[in-house]
Amino acid sequence: MKNKTLATWLTFLGGPLGLHRFYLRGFGDWLGWLLPIPTLLGLYGIMRVKQFGVDDMWSWVLLPVLGFTFAGCALTAIIYGLMTPEKWNARFNPKAPPDAAPGHTNWFTIFGIAVSLMVGTAVLMASIAFSFQRYFEYQIEEARKISQ
C-alpha cells in the first residue's frame, strides 16, 4: 500500500532524483530514471558558478534547470498531498477500499504541503530572477559591443 504522506515527503525531498516515482510506480518507470539528468545538469551549473563565477554563460543556462526541476517536484508534492483519499487509493492502491488509511491526510502531510509550497515557490522565483537577470545583463553587454 502506497502511503500519501510518505509519497508527499519523498517527492519534496527526493523528487529531483526520481525517488517518488520509484516508490509509486516501481523501478521500471522511465521518467524516474530521467529525472536525475536535469538535476545533475543543474549541479554542474553550480560547479561552473563556483569555478568561473556568475558571468559564465553556461552557468546561467544550467542553474535554473535545477531550480525548475526542484520547483516541479515541489508542485507534484503539493498535488499528491492535496489528493482526496478516494482518488489516491484508486490511483496508487487500486485493490484497497476507497477510504483506506494510506490515502488519508494527516498533519504531517499538511506540513509537507506547506513546506513544499514555501520552498518550491522560493526556488522557482529565485531561478526565474537569476536567469532573467543574467539574460538581460548578457543582452546589455552584447549591445555595448555593437555600439562601440
Side-chain angles (χ1 to χ4, degrees):
M1 294 266 250
K2 307 295 193 252
N3 187 298
K4 180 167 68 169
T5 303
L6 179 59
T8 300
W9 280 99
L10 270 177
T11 307
F12 173 66
L13 296 173
L17 298 175
L19 297 181
H20 65 292
R21 299 210 45 109
F22 297 137
Y23 172 68
L24 294 173
R25 293 175 175 86
F27 288 108
D29 183 46
W30 63 273
L31 195 57
W33 290 106
L34 290 178
L35 264 172
I37 294 171
T39 304
L40 291 174
L41 287 173
L43 291 174
Y44 178 64
I46 291 173
M47 289 173 36
R48 286 189 67 95
V49 166
K50 288 181 180 179
Q51 187 176 5
F52 301 113
V54 292
D55 293 331
D56 178 47
M57 188 175 102
W58 281 107
S59 65
W60 63 263
V61 170
L62 294 174
L63 196 59
V65 172
L66 177 64
F68 294 142
T69 303
F70 190 85
C73 289
L75 177 63
T76 305
I78 294 167
I79 291 170
Y80 286 161
L82 293 177
M83 207 178 275
T84 63
E86 294 81 17
K87 188 174 180 181
W88 177 266
N89 288 324
R91 188 170 183 184
F92 297 111
N93 299 318
K95 295 179 182 174
D99 61 344
H104 286 183
T105 303
N106 57 39
W107 284 106
F108 200 54
T109 312
I110 293 170
F111 183 65
I113 294 167
V115 170
S116 296
L117 180 62
M118 289 186 298
V119 174
T121 303
V123 168
L124 178 64
M125 297 309 294
S127 298
I128 291 171
F130 178 79
S131 60
F132 280 145
Q133 177 185 354
R134 291 292 151 212
Y135 173 74
F136 289 124
E137 287 176 356
Y138 174 76
Q139 291 296 324
I140 289 171
E141 288 301 318
E142 291 300 314
R144 283 186 183 153
K145 290 178 187 175
I146 292 172
S147 67
Q148 292 178 357

